[in-house]
Amino acid sequence: MAKLTIRDIAALSGVSKSTVSLVLNNSPKVDPATRRHVLAVMRRNRYVPSFAATALAKGSTRLIGMVVPGLSWHMVASINIGVAAVTERSGFDIILYTATNDRDYGSLIDRILTSSMVSGLLVVSHEQPLEPLVQLHSDGLPVVLVNTIDADVALPSVTADNYDGALTAMDHLLQLGHERIACVQGRMVYRCCQDRYRGYLDALRSAGIQPDPELTKPGDFLPEQIRARSRELFALPPDQRPTAVFAHSDVTAYAVMTAAAEAGLRVPEDVSVIGFDDIESAAQIRPPLTTIQQPFVDMGKRAAEMLLEAIGPADDVPEEEPADERPRLVMPTSLIVRASCGPVPVTRSPRGRSQTTSKA
Amino acid sequence: MAKLTIRDIAALSGVSKSTVSLVLNNSPKVDPATRRHVLAVMRRNRYVPSFAATALAKGSTRLIGMVVPGLSWHMVASINIGVAAVTERSGFDIILYTATNDRDYGSLIDRILTSSMVSGLLVVSHEQPLEPLVQLHSDGLPVVLVNTIDADVALPSVTADNYDGALTAMDHLLQLGHERIACVQGRMVYRCCQDRYRGYLDALRSAGIQPDPELTKPGDFLPEQIRARSRELFALPPDQRPTAVFAHSDVTAYAVMTAAAEAGLRVPEDVSVIGFDDIESAAQIRPPLTTIQQPFVDMGKRAAEMLLEAIGPADDVPEEEPADERPRLVMPTSLIVRASCGPVPVTRSPRGRSQTTSKA
DNA sequence: CTGAAAGCGCTTACAG
DNA sequence: CTGAAAGCGCTTACAG
């Protein structure tokens, strides 16, 4: 069971090591008959070239690194599905770095990644500092960021259009006649949440509605806090109580719905709730959640494609010009209409706000 | 920015390559002063040894492979958290193989894994053929299986105690007075589902209740099918209708609850529903789901520990004796009581079954 | 189209 | 405690 080497294959097929190597690398300069023969010998002996030796000799690996903030997020899992789909058929394997604690994030970056183990890096960014990545990128390592990203970072990226998604969510609510729409925020240090909140505000304003600060609640993606803040919302006097809630995530929406139920409010009869993400259970809960779907799988695919393109065709790596184009892909979201949003309750429908919307 | 090599460090610190290598490998035969000095030089120049060269020279990598059936499952994500927690502090990195399609599973195994890229393999098994793994294992590659596994496979493994979990779930229901308890099955080709079903049957029998075949429904983890089969359950005449449902997964339970709502039945007043898994949203939905928690994170930790132990301390790899002990760890589950199960509806409570349970 | 040779960056006996 | 040398298994000009 001793591992076979290229030398063994050479001996077994009666050619030199060089020739074996050439067939390994699909060189056109090998006689077709020779190649077939060598290939057959390799197959018969279940020969697999040593990964390490190949990497050393070539100076590059068929490995791309993927840095994620834990796998338990629906987002990360979905992105990975997309990434895996494209890396799979490109012969690349992915090595996974779970950057759990911020502490060693920096060292992770320059420890492992400088060891030239990886020919490219996919980062599902988080709250981590981005400078080390910028550094790496300008040193010539292909890097692409997925999901949250600060607009001013000079790195290729693919994100979802959170602003537009929020606009769409709000339009849905607005068209159902809602005017007092609350917003339960996510983690506001995230760019994506900031964008969603801007969308909330802008949608309101362009409908001629002055945002009521009292209807904005922090949630920080913490179920406890979300429930507490939602309770405040639902404890408001009937004429001030929101008739709809825009939650910054589906799980946030669940907690809002729980609070609603505790307050004796029915969804969607008494209060409409819209989420963001479209996680798997969104269709399964009662009532099925209306939400904004983020195209995570596609985002993963596109990101992987961008990265592979940047890595280039194995050989002609243009060391000198690190592809100064920094593509930013912003992917559209979609409104998934299920049952958690309904028309504004009739008993309260036309209320005396200072302005009237131009919408139905 | 040219990558520094051990030679550069040697030159910069005025010692030989060997010495640098020795400090790299924490050899005790290096003068402490020399070591400090070399270390300082390395740090100052941000030197990182080449992964490929180290792997080639040592004949082994600090990489462990993890084969998973897609990341979108809660289970896989949680297991990975555990795995990452232990590999992280052991200096191992994990390379992730997402075995999406069965087709290339076999080739995946012997392609990549034989290339000696990986010093151990963690497999979150699925419906995949296990023979290639057994082969690999007897060839000396440490392998450990996580989660589903056939009892007769001669491989180290860590699984959850699905049988006992089912027993616990059923006991909970039984103690609430339920006698007509339905079971909505998962994918019955999975060992775990078979175990859960055995638990269901045995719990019933040891409570003196003859299982009613009509109360067992296939679901196969398919929401559509689950809903359809549940509808049949709830359409039964009131005296034959189940008062409780044991679902083989939380998501299955969600679909059952949806069907119940559609049938005008309240949970838990009219029908109790218990799940299996304890996924994140289980606490968030309405009503919060009572369920059996599987210790996925711990399972991942234990599996990683077993694997690292099998890999051993880098050097003394006992090539000859491939550790013939094949530990099987079966980890306990826990009952998480929330609000989806209640006492049997009073209007129906003492019904004329042929047998009476000995329980309250 | 094929072979001999040097080299990728480390590790590991072996001398000293 | 430290150095010179061979070797890990490939790849890649360079001859032929």
Side-chain angles (χ1 to χ4, degrees):
Chain A
M1 210 57 228
K3 213 62 60 62
L4 290 181
T5 72
I6 201 176
R7 181 197 317 276
D8 301 312
I9 299 299
L12 287 170
S13 20
V15 298
S16 73
K17 280 170 46 188
S18 318
T19 302
V20 176
S21 178
L22 290 180
V23 348
L24 239 26
N25 291 285
N26 289 310
S27 165
K29 344 196 270 180
V30 176
D31 182 81
T34 314
R35 121 164 299 116
R36 261 196 306 279
H37 177 227
V38 174
L39 247 20
V41 172
M42 297 197 314
R43 197 164 306 121
R44 186 173 332 122
N45 295 280
R46 314 183 93 241
Y47 167 73
V48 183
S50 153
F51 165 79
T54 308
L56 215 210
K58 281 197 170 157
S60 75
T61 63
R62 297 294 278 175
L63 245 30
I64 77 178
M66 183 165 168
V67 180
V68 303
L71 247 44
S72 54
W73 302 14
H74 159 76
M75 172 186 81
V76 176
S78 300
I79 289 174
N80 178 275
I81 290 173
V83 170
V86 356
T87 54
E88 202 163 75
R89 61 165 180 276
S90 72
F92 275 79
D93 283 309
I94 108 162
I95 132 159
L96 190 72
Y97 298 108
T98 314
T100 38
N101 39 9
D102 301 5
R103 173 173 57 69
D104 49 26
Y105 182 75
S107 69
L108 176 90
I109 298 292
D110 57 41
R111 178 175 59 85
I112 324 261
L113 309 175
T114 319
S115 65
S116 76
M117 174 152 60
V118 123
S119 9
L121 200 57
L122 234 29
V123 181
V124 180
S125 64
H126 192 41
E127 305 179 60
Q128 317 282 13
L130 260 19
E131 303 81 53
L133 296 178
V134 176
Q135 179 63 45
L136 241 27
H137 185 250
S138 52
D139 283 357
L141 183 76
V143 173
V144 4
L145 255 35
V146 194
N147 198 39
T148 297
I149 177 198
D150 279 312
D152 48 323
V153 173
L155 249 25
S157 66
V158 7
T159 56
D161 197 335
N162 287 284
Y163 176 75
D164 190 70
L167 244 36
T168 304
M170 291 298 291
D171 276 352
H172 183 60
L173 261 16
L174 258 2
Q175 281 181 21
L176 287 166
H178 296 280
E179 293 182 6
R180 282 193 72 71
I181 304 175
C183 180
V184 178
Q185 302 173 318
R187 202 153 167 55
M188 292 305 284
V189 294
Y190 294 169
R191 171 65 183 235
C192 57
C193 292
Q194 296 165 14
D195 288 348
R196 288 172 207 168
Y197 191 56
R198 271 199 309 118
Y200 164 79
L201 259 16
D202 287 357
L204 243 27
R205 289 194 190 111
S206 62
I209 299 173
Q210 183 62 21
D212 179 348
E214 199 157 3
L215 295 186
T216 289
K217 295 290 186 183
D220 212 26
F221 293 140
L222 269 22
E224 285 314 317
Q225 177 173 174
I226 296 162
R227 231 171 292 156
R229 294 292 84 73
S230 301
R231 244 178 260 129
E232 297 171 4
L233 242 24
F234 298 134
L236 254 21
D239 64 319
Q240 288 173 43
R241 193 201 300 147
T243 63
V245 179
F246 168 41
H248 271 191
S249 80
D250 286 352
V251 176
T252 298
Y254 294 174
V256 171
M257 286 165 73
T258 299
E262 287 167 2
L265 263 22
R266 294 161 307 162
V267 176
E269 292 82 353
D270 300 317
V271 57
S272 290
V273 178
I274 191 166
F276 210 104
D277 279 349
D278 194 31
I279 61 179
E280 234 139 323
S281 53
Q284 308 303 330
I285 62 157
R286 300 297 305 177
L289 188 68
T290 291
T291 190
I292 299 295
Q293 180 182 71
Q294 297 202 68
F296 290 129
V297 175
D298 274 340
M299 286 165 63
K301 280 190 192 164
R302 299 310 314 279
E305 285 164 359
M306 279 172 55
L307 188 67
L308 291 186
E309 194 172 334
I311 291 173
D315 303 272
D316 61 351
V317 217
E319 275 296 5
E320 305 315 317
E321 37 156 347
D324 211 283
E325 15 133 9
R326 274 142 200 170
R328 284 147 187 269
L329 212 50
V330 179
M331 303 192 58
T333 58
S334 347
L335 171 67
I336 307 290
V337 177
R338 284 193 276 251
S340 66
C341 295
V344 65
V346 285
T347 58
R348 308 181 46 199
S349 185
R351 275 199 358 284
R353 299 298 289 165
S354 49
Q355 310 235 12
T356 316
T357 69
S358 54
K359 310 212 172 198
Chain B
M1 210 59 226
K3 214 62 61 59
L4 290 181
T5 73
I6 202 178
R7 183 198 315 278
D8 300 311
I9 299 300
L12 286 170
S13 21
V15 298
S16 75
K17 282 169 46 188
S18 318
T19 303
V20 176
S21 177
L22 291 179
V23 348
L24 238 26
N25 291 286
N26 292 309
S27 164
K29 351 196 262 177
V30 176
D31 182 80
T34 314
R35 123 166 295 117
R36 261 197 306 279
H37 177 226
V38 173
L39 247 19
V41 172
M42 296 197 315
R43 197 165 307 120
R44 186 173 334 121
N45 294 280
R46 318 183 89 239
Y47 167 74
V48 183
S50 153
F51 164 80
T54 308
L56 215 210
K58 281 197 171 158
S60 75
T61 62
R62 297 295 277 177
L63 245 30
I64 76 178
M66 181 166 171
V67 180
V68 304
L71 248 44
S72 54
W73 301 14
H74 160 76
M75 172 188 81
V76 176
S78 299
I79 288 174
N80 179 272
I81 290 174
V83 171
V86 357
T87 54
E88 202 163 75
R89 60 165 180 275
S90 71
F92 275 80
D93 283 309
I94 107 165
I95 131 157
L96 190 74
Y97 299 107
T98 314
T100 38
N101 39 9
D102 301 5
R103 173 172 58 69
D104 49 27
Y105 182 76
S107 68
L108 176 92
I109 297 293
D110 56 41
R111 178 175 59 84
I112 325 261
L113 309 174
T114 318
S115 65
S116 77
M117 175 153 59
V118 124
S119 7
L121 200 56
L122 233 32
V123 180
V124 179
S125 62
H126 191 42
E127 306 179 61
Q128 317 283 15
L130 259 21
E131 302 82 51
L133 296 178
V134 175
Q135 179 62 43
L136 240 28
H137 185 250
S138 54
D139 283 356
L141 183 76
V143 173
V144 5
L145 255 34
V146 193
N147 199 37
T148 297
I149 178 197
D150 279 314
D152 47 323
V153 173
L155 249 23
S157 65
V158 8
T159 56
D161 197 334
N162 287 284
Y163 176 75
D164 190 69
L167 245 35
T168 305
M170 291 298 292
D171 275 352
H172 182 60
L173 260 17
L174 257 6
Q175 281 180 22
L176 287 166
H178 296 279
E179 295 182 4
R180 281 194 70 72
I181 303 176
C183 180
V184 178
Q185 301 173 318
R187 201 153 167 56
M188 292 305 286
V189 294
Y190 294 168
R191 171 64 183 236
C192 56
C193 291
Q194 296 165 15
D195 287 349
R196 288 173 207 167
Y197 191 55
R198 271 199 307 119
Y200 164 79
L201 259 18
D202 287 358
L204 242 28
R205 290 193 190 110
S206 63
I209 299 173
Q210 182 62 21
D212 178 348
E214 198 156 7
L215 294 186
T216 289
K217 296 289 186 180
D220 211 26
F221 293 140
L222 270 21
E224 286 313 317
Q225 176 171 178
I226 296 162
R227 230 170 293 153
R229 296 291 86 72
S230 301
R231 244 177 261 129
E232 297 171 4
L233 242 25
F234 298 134
L236 252 24
D239 65 319
Q240 288 173 44
R241 194 200 299 148
T243 63
V245 179
F246 167 41
H248 272 191
S249 80
D250 286 353
V251 175
T252 298
Y254 294 174
V256 171
M257 286 164 74
T258 298
E262 287 167 2
L265 261 25
R266 292 162 307 164
V267 175
E269 292 82 354
D270 301 316
V271 58
S272 290
V273 178
I274 192 165
F276 210 104
D277 279 348
D278 194 30
I279 62 178
E280 232 139 323
S281 53
Q284 307 303 329
I285 61 156
R286 301 297 304 178
L289 188 69
T290 291
T291 190
I292 299 295
Q293 181 180 72
Q294 298 201 70
F296 290 128
V297 175
D298 274 342
M299 286 165 64
K301 279 190 193 163
R302 301 310 315 278
E305 285 164 0
M306 280 173 55
L307 187 67
L308 291 187
E309 195 171 333
I311 291 174
D315 304 273
D316 61 353
V317 217
E319 275 297 4
E320 306 315 317
E321 39 158 343
D324 212 282
E325 16 134 8
R326 272 140 201 175
R328 282 146 190 270
L329 211 52
V330 178
M331 304 194 57
T333 58
S334 348
L335 172 67
I336 307 289
V337 177
R338 284 193 275 250
S340 65
C341 295
V344 66
V346 284
T347 59
R348 308 180 46 198
S349 188
R351 273 195 3 280
R353 298 298 289 167
S354 50
Q355 311 234 11
T356 315
T357 69
S358 56
K359 309 214 172 195

